[in-house]
Amino acid sequence: KPSDPLDPEEGTFSTPLGAAVDSDGNVFVADTLNDRVQMFDADGGFVQTFGKQGVAAGTFMRAKGIAVDADGHVYVTDAEFSNVQVFDAEGSTLAVFGTRGTEPGQFSLITGICIDKQNHILVADQWHARVQVFRYFTDEEAAAAKKAKGQSQAPGPGKEAKDSAPK
C-alpha cells in the first residue's frame, strides 16, 4: 500500500527499492522515499521500522539496497551518502563504511548490495560502472584470529576491499 508522504504509516511504502530475508524468514525492506527500513515477520506481519531522514549514522536520505549477513546484521546502501550502514536486527547502528569518490571503498550512486555464503559483501556502484567486493569477518572468525595471533583484543568485524571495475 502506498504511504502518505507527510505521515507514513507502518507497513506502507514510498518507493521500496530493496528487500532481504534473514535466516528466520524476517523480511527487511528499504523504504526509499520514507528514509527508513521496515521489518516484517515471516508471515508478513509488521515488526518494526528503523532509520529516518537525516545526515547522521543511522539515518537515510536515499536508502536503496539491503542485505542480511549470516550473523543477522542488516546492510543498507544510501545513494545520497554513498555509503553502507550496518545495523543489528533491532535497528541499532553498528558501523558505516564508504564515502563519495572514485577510490576503492568510495562510491558514486551506490545502489544494490548482496552478501554471499563466504561473507563477501558485493556493492553496486552505478556511476562508476563497477561492483566492489568487501569481506565481512564473522564474530567466530574474529575470535579464531585473536586466538591464532595471541592478540589481546579480537580484530572484530572487518572488511577488505577489492575493486571489480573493468580495467
Side-chain angles (χ1 to χ4, degrees):
K1 170 181 169 184
S3 67
D4 176 345
L6 299 177
D7 187 21
E9 293 179 37
E10 296 172 342
T12 64
F13 303 105
S14 182
T15 314
L17 291 179
V21 180
D22 70 11
S23 61
D24 294 327
N26 295 308
V27 178
F28 296 84
V29 179
D31 189 5
T32 303
L33 294 183
N34 284 327
D35 303 307
R36 65 185 180 183
V37 169
Q38 294 195 67
M39 178 183 176
F40 300 86
D41 63 26
D43 296 321
F46 177 81
V47 175
Q48 69 172 345
T49 185
F50 57 89
K52 62 181 180 179
Q53 187 175 46
V55 296
T59 65
F60 305 110
M61 289 299 288
R62 289 293 176 262
K64 286 195 171 188
I66 191 165
V68 181
D69 71 20
D71 288 335
H73 302 124
V74 180
Y75 295 69
V76 183
T77 64
D78 191 299
E80 181 68 24
F81 296 145
S82 296
N83 68 16
V84 176
Q85 298 190 49
V86 186
F87 300 87
D88 64 19
E90 288 74 43
S92 296
T93 306
L94 300 175
V96 178
F97 66 93
T99 60
R100 185 168 284 117
T102 60
E103 299 298 318
Q106 297 181 326
F107 308 96
S108 184
L109 194 54
I110 190 172
T111 52
I113 186 169
C114 68
I115 301 170
D116 70 14
K117 291 182 181 185
Q118 290 77 40
N119 293 313
H120 295 107
I121 305 161
L122 293 88
V123 182
D125 185 359
Q126 184 176 339
W127 285 357
H128 293 129
R130 65 185 180 181
V131 172
Q132 294 192 59
V133 181
F134 302 87
R135 170 102 163 70
Y136 169 73
F137 296 95
T138 65
D139 295 337
E140 185 176 297
E141 290 170 320
K146 175 184 173 185
K147 184 175 180 181
K149 292 183 179 183
Q151 296 176 344
S152 61
Q153 293 185 5
K159 60 184 182 339
E160 57 187 39
K162 180 174 87 174
D163 190 347
S164 66
K167 305 293 183 236

